Amino acid sequence: MLHERIHRNDLLQRVISREEAASRIKNGMVVATSGFTKAGDSKEVLPAVAERALTHPLKITLMTGASLGHGTDGKLAEAGALAMRLPFQVDPVLRRKINDGEVLFIDQHLSETAEYIKAGHFPPIDYAIIEAAQILADGSIVPTTSVGNSAIFCQLARRIIIEVNTVVPLSVAGVHDIFSAGTYPNRTVIPILSPDCRIGRPSIPVDPEKIEGIVITNIRDSAAEAASGDASTAKIAGHLMDFFSWEVTKGRLKESLQPLQAGIGKVANSILRGFVDSRFHDLTMYSEVLQDSTFDLFDAGKLNFASGSSITLSESYYDKVFGDFGKYKNRLILRPQEISNSVGVIRRLGVISINTALECDIYGNVNSTHVTGTHMMNGIGGSEDFARNSYLSIFVTSSVAKGGAVSSVVPMVSHVDHTEHDVDIIVTDEGLADLRGLSPRQRARVIIENTVHRDYRERLQSYFERAVKRGGHTPHLLEEALSWHRSLQETGRM
């Protein structure tokens, strides 16, 4: 079996245990690992580092593509092994440590991490830990279910440890498209003209001399939550389908729309599944994460092609997709995240982006990351890569949260990730606000009328009317603007 996975005899001699690999990681090192939204991450070495840190204390800087699975971030944080983490995470234990100030966190646009590394804005990478399905005869590696930042990590790390995961079928070979635009001032054009353009090579180049050890594993990716839609997400999806139909009627879109991008999670899955019974067909995706709903659209004959940086699936869909991967393989591409999230490509293709907001305000500013303005949730991820550069920038959220104690539309957001200039459409279960071509005062009226829950609409209308009397291009009552958040902190309700 190992000869099927490792095609160089000299590298077969470098197979080591997870414990031995973990022992190479020393205090103060910068470690980079594969993994993007729980897919293709380190499943042996990093957990072993967490175990070792309990008896041999150390702290590392850890950079990834996005989030890790199997609770690895939490294990490292609980063991005190993380000094700094970037650029994205979703782990509740790590989140607590970040908000308590015990772990420093750099929340970064996912398209920018590779650029920062290339430019030397971060310290040099001591070790890259990369999951692979195969190591080829030239030393290059075939990734597994994600690409993320693995290519740049392999290029610039001083040493590399590879986790060869035998649970991933060899049929994944050929689905990856590895390309780099180079470094400034000599960057080249990224020649992607449609989501199905293949522009690179199917494996990540690696200098075999840098491969210090190979750990064999047979562990699946963490399963994504099998998130079925609820009444709220179904209404959001319905509002969006009606909007797209209107755009087709007006001649601004065709029934194949433009390439789609969607964030991760229950809302995004539900919205994408809304296309199954819609009038739309011959769809394409140019996104980051390919989820369960991507394969529902393939199976329904609605989706022709999907480009992303990872495949993140629930347990049942993992069996379905990788049990018959040949059914989908020729309609998929996995790219490095600096390509999947390239702002130039997003703008060229005219992507329709659909991302989730924690809250938005009456002028269209969106907070995606901070609860009550101070506590990090997960991170901005790639949402602004797409929002700023898409043909249509759409943000979705339920109109209320916490059983109605929280309004998702507020007078002023407590933290701004996406300014009003980057937001075209806001959708809640209450309705859809089309903000294109509107001034701030017009935006406020449309948002309040169409997206605010009935329990909060009158209060927001009162706030806006009183602010207008005060004057200003974007009227606010600064003494009241964050009063809803203050009330939430003091009473548990807005």
Side-chain angles (χ1 to χ4, degrees):
M1 180 179 290
L2 283 188
H3 283 282
E4 290 182 339
R5 299 282 178 169
I6 304 172
H7 293 182
R8 290 177 63 106
N9 289 331
D10 59 329
L11 293 182
L12 286 170
Q13 310 307 312
R14 300 184 202 176
V15 174
I16 59 176
S17 69
R18 64 195 294 274
E19 291 79 14
E20 184 176 350
S23 71
R24 312 285 175 92
I25 309 302
K26 307 297 185 184
N27 184 53
M29 281 186 169
V30 176
V31 178
T33 182
S34 59
F36 194 103
T37 57
K38 302 183 179 182
D41 56 327
S42 167
K43 300 173 177 65
E44 294 283 7
V45 180
L46 282 182
V49 170
E51 294 166 12
R52 181 167 171 265
L54 293 172
T55 55
H56 297 78
L58 57 84
K59 286 187 180 293
I60 61 173
T61 292
L62 179 63
M63 56 181 70
T64 63
S67 54
L68 303 178
H70 296 285
T72 299
D73 268 325
K75 294 171 185 174
L76 288 164
E78 201 66 70
L82 293 180
M84 179 175 284
R85 179 74 168 84
L86 65 133
F88 186 79
Q89 58 78 43
V90 299
D91 188 272
V93 176
L94 176 55
R95 182 184 303 131
R96 173 171 52 82
K97 298 283 188 178
I98 289 169
N99 288 318
D100 288 345
E102 296 180 34
V103 177
L104 299 178
F105 179 58
I106 299 176
D107 181 25
Q108 193 171 41
H109 301 305
L110 295 187
S111 66
E112 291 187 342
T113 307
E115 296 298 335
Y116 271 58
I117 296 169
K118 291 177 188 178
H121 298 320
F122 296 134
I125 300 169
D126 295 294
Y127 274 95
I129 304 169
I130 308 294
E131 184 178 84
Q134 273 184 313
I135 305 175
L136 303 181
D138 62 356
S140 67
I141 64 175
V142 176
T144 56
T145 50
S146 73
V147 180
N149 282 319
S150 294
I152 192 64
F153 293 161
C154 287
Q155 178 186 338
L156 296 182
R158 292 167 172 162
R159 289 153 288 189
I160 300 171
I161 295 172
I162 299 176
E163 294 189 21
V164 173
N165 194 337
T166 60
V167 80
V168 178
L170 290 171
S171 57
V172 300
V175 78
H176 310 93
D177 189 48
I178 310 303
F179 180 88
S180 173
T183 58
Y184 295 108
N186 300 310
R187 283 174 60 88
T188 188
V189 171
I190 302 172
I192 295 175
L193 302 178
S194 63
D196 60 350
C197 278
R198 292 183 179 273
I199 61 173
R201 52 179 290 167
S203 59
I204 297 173
V206 175
D207 177 0
E209 294 304 312
K210 294 203 299 187
I211 300 175
E212 195 169 277
I214 298 170
V215 176
I216 308 301
T217 184
N218 188 256
I219 301 172
R220 285 187 177 188
D221 291 335
S222 276
E225 180 183 357
S228 57
D230 54 23
S232 176
T233 56
K235 288 179 180 178
I236 292 171
H239 296 320
L240 265 179
M241 295 306 118
D242 290 343
F243 167 75
F244 290 137
S245 291
W246 172 251
E247 292 294 288
V248 171
T249 300
K250 297 296 287 184
R252 289 189 285 256
L253 288 173
K254 297 179 180 180
E255 289 190 339
S256 57
L257 303 179
Q258 297 281 113
L260 300 169
Q261 176 266 337
I264 60 174
K266 178 178 69 173
V267 176
N269 263 311
S270 179
I271 288 168
L272 288 178
R273 284 182 174 129
F275 285 106
V276 169
D277 297 318
S278 74
R279 65 187 285 186
F280 306 105
H281 56 84
D282 295 317
L283 301 172
T284 58
M285 294 184 69
Y286 192 83
S287 194
E288 305 162 291
V289 186
L290 309 182
Q291 306 174 81
D292 290 2
S293 52
T294 303
F295 297 90
D296 288 332
L297 291 174
F298 277 137
D299 292 342
K302 292 287 186 175
L303 183 64
N304 290 348
F305 202 90
S307 168
S309 192
S310 75
I311 300 174
T312 302
L313 304 170
S314 65
E315 187 172 358
S316 61
Y317 274 70
Y318 192 99
D319 292 328
K320 168 185 171 180
V321 171
F322 290 107
D324 188 14
F325 195 61
K327 178 180 177 182
Y328 305 105
K329 179 176 176 177
N330 292 330
R331 295 187 285 171
L332 297 171
I333 289 179
L334 295 183
R335 309 181 192 273
Q337 66 195 69
E338 62 178 310
I339 306 300
S340 68
N341 290 46
S342 165
V343 297
V345 175
I346 292 164
R347 184 158 294 220
R348 181 187 305 139
L349 298 184
V351 171
I352 295 173
S353 70
I354 306 169
N355 289 289
T356 304
L358 281 180
E359 63 179 5
C360 62
D361 67 25
I362 59 174
Y363 297 110
N365 299 292
V366 171
N367 172 16
S368 295
T369 58
H370 285 70
V371 178
T372 59
T374 57
H375 281 61
M376 172 58 62
M377 189 67 178
N378 298 326
I380 196 169
S383 57
E384 182 63 7
D385 295 329
F386 286 89
R388 183 71 186 275
N389 300 284
S390 290
Y391 170 77
L392 279 174
S393 173
I394 300 169
F395 282 90
V396 299
T397 180
S398 295
S399 59
V400 291
K402 304 296 183 183
V406 175
S407 174
S408 298
V409 186
V410 295
M412 178 187 284
V413 288
S414 56
H415 175 88
V416 181
D417 291 298
H418 316 278
T419 74
E420 59 184 289
H421 310 291
D422 299 334
V423 180
D424 296 319
I425 310 290
I426 292 174
V427 195
T428 72
D429 47 300
E430 293 290 329
L432 181 146
D434 185 348
L435 308 180
R436 295 172 296 174
L438 301 183
S439 70
R441 295 188 186 206
Q442 291 173 311
R443 282 173 168 243
R445 293 185 178 98
V446 169
I447 289 171
I448 293 169
E449 180 180 345
N450 291 286
T451 67
V452 179
H453 192 275
R454 58 186 177 275
D455 290 347
Y456 293 93
R457 193 174 301 150
E458 185 175 336
R459 289 173 58 196
L460 266 181
Q461 185 64 40
S462 171
Y463 174 89
F464 174 64
E465 290 172 355
R466 288 181 290 115
V468 166
K469 291 178 181 178
R470 185 80 60 87
H473 175 64
T474 306
H476 268 302
L477 303 173
L478 294 183
E479 68 275 16
E480 289 187 34
L482 296 176
S483 62
W484 291 29
H485 299 89
R486 187 175 66 248
S487 176
L488 178 62
Q489 289 181 323
E490 293 173 354
T491 70
R493 297 188 64 86
M494 284 187 169

